[in-house]
Amino acid sequence: MESAKKMKERAGLIYETLDPIYTHEKTALTYKTPFQLLVSTILSAQCTDKQVNMVTKDLFKKYKSPRDYVSAPIEELEADIRPTGFYKNKAKSLKGCSQGLLDLYGGEVPASMEALIKLPGVGRKTANCVLGAAFDIPGVVVDTHVKRLSLRLGLTQNENPDKIETDLQKILPKERWRRFSDLLIYHGRAVCKARNPDHGHCVISAYCPSRSI
């Protein structure tokens, strides 16, 4: 088992190598308010940010508040978000989340993890996305890319996203939590892909235990 010190050193080298390469935008999702970002993040599950932005361009003109999502017929909302995939579950999540916002927080998106995860359809990943981009609150976002790269890079031995989040928090300074997540996401999309990681063109391959597998 590698020591925490060694793991911190490797995480730091990975961060410093990737940081100059990828955009510093906190999200590729298009939004104007924390609520719009929350909606977009829910829709982004198993869907590209580009596709979500295409859908929300019209969606945000039609649905302006949590009350609009609550009052919309479920079939109509499903049709409006259908191109994002898994539209039935996402429509339920949007309705549940919107109702929760109205019931618990007066329709406003709260700026804390504890409050956000009380909303139906909102887990820690979604909450961290919203907190980091909308409120500048540090957090580790564990999506499929972050999970895959964290395991490949030997930064965790866990498969559970919540445990991966905790593992990364332990080896990174708090101010780097969100940026490190973004870097792994961008690098996962561009180079370290699920089926064929491109070790030959990977700038962090020297720090990757899986390169010899």
Side-chain angles (χ1 to χ4, degrees):
M1 182 80 177
E2 190 174 30
S3 69
K5 183 181 178 182
K6 288 280 189 184
M7 213 173 287
K8 286 180 181 178
E9 288 176 356
R10 192 161 75 257
L13 290 168
I14 291 167
Y15 182 98
E16 289 157 15
T17 304
L18 295 180
D19 185 53
I21 298 174
Y22 296 108
T23 177
H24 278 254
E25 287 190 20
K26 293 178 180 176
T27 178
L29 295 169
T30 302
Y31 70 97
K32 292 182 179 178
T33 66
F35 178 61
Q36 287 186 351
L37 177 59
L38 179 56
V39 170
S40 292
T41 306
I42 290 171
L43 293 178
S44 70
Q46 302 297 311
C47 182
T48 65
D49 292 344
K50 183 178 179 181
Q51 182 65 46
V52 171
N53 290 338
M54 289 174 63
V55 169
T56 56
K57 185 176 181 181
D58 292 325
L59 192 74
F60 291 159
K61 294 175 184 176
K62 182 174 180 180
Y63 303 90
K64 297 182 174 16
S65 70
R67 200 167 298 280
D68 292 335
Y69 288 89
V70 171
S71 60
I74 187 72
E75 296 82 7
E76 186 175 341
L77 181 56
E78 287 174 356
D80 289 334
I81 65 171
R82 186 175 186 130
T84 67
F86 302 97
Y87 59 93
K88 288 186 178 293
N89 286 336
K90 290 179 182 180
K92 289 178 184 175
S93 292
L94 289 177
K95 276 186 164 287
C97 176
S98 296
Q99 188 65 62
L101 287 172
L102 292 170
D103 293 344
L104 299 173
Y105 311 119
E108 296 296 321
V109 176
S112 79
M113 173 64 71
E114 293 74 16
L116 278 169
I117 60 175
K118 289 180 181 178
L119 298 169
V122 177
R124 294 189 65 87
K125 186 198 88 170
T126 296
N128 273 319
C129 286
V130 173
L131 292 172
F135 300 110
D136 285 323
I137 296 174
V140 175
V141 178
V142 183
D143 73 346
T144 55
H145 299 292
V146 173
K147 176 181 177 179
R148 182 174 73 253
L149 269 68
S150 295
L151 285 162
R152 283 180 178 169
L153 291 166
L155 302 177
T156 184
Q157 293 183 328
N158 287 301
E159 296 274 350
N160 181 282
D162 290 351
K163 290 182 179 179
I164 294 172
E165 179 185 347
T166 300
D167 289 343
L168 294 181
Q169 286 175 340
K170 289 177 180 176
I171 61 173
L172 292 161
K174 192 171 185 178
E175 63 271 15
R176 288 187 169 185
W177 287 355
R178 177 55 193 258
R179 178 63 177 159
F180 192 80
S181 304
D182 290 343
L183 292 174
L184 293 191
I185 290 169
Y186 294 139
H187 196 61
R189 289 173 179 167
V191 179
C192 191
K193 300 181 179 181
R195 293 186 180 179
N196 298 302
D198 191 356
H199 292 298
H201 294 92
C202 180
V203 295
I204 57 171
S205 63
Y207 316 123
C208 181
S210 71
R211 71 187 183 278
S212 60
I213 297 175

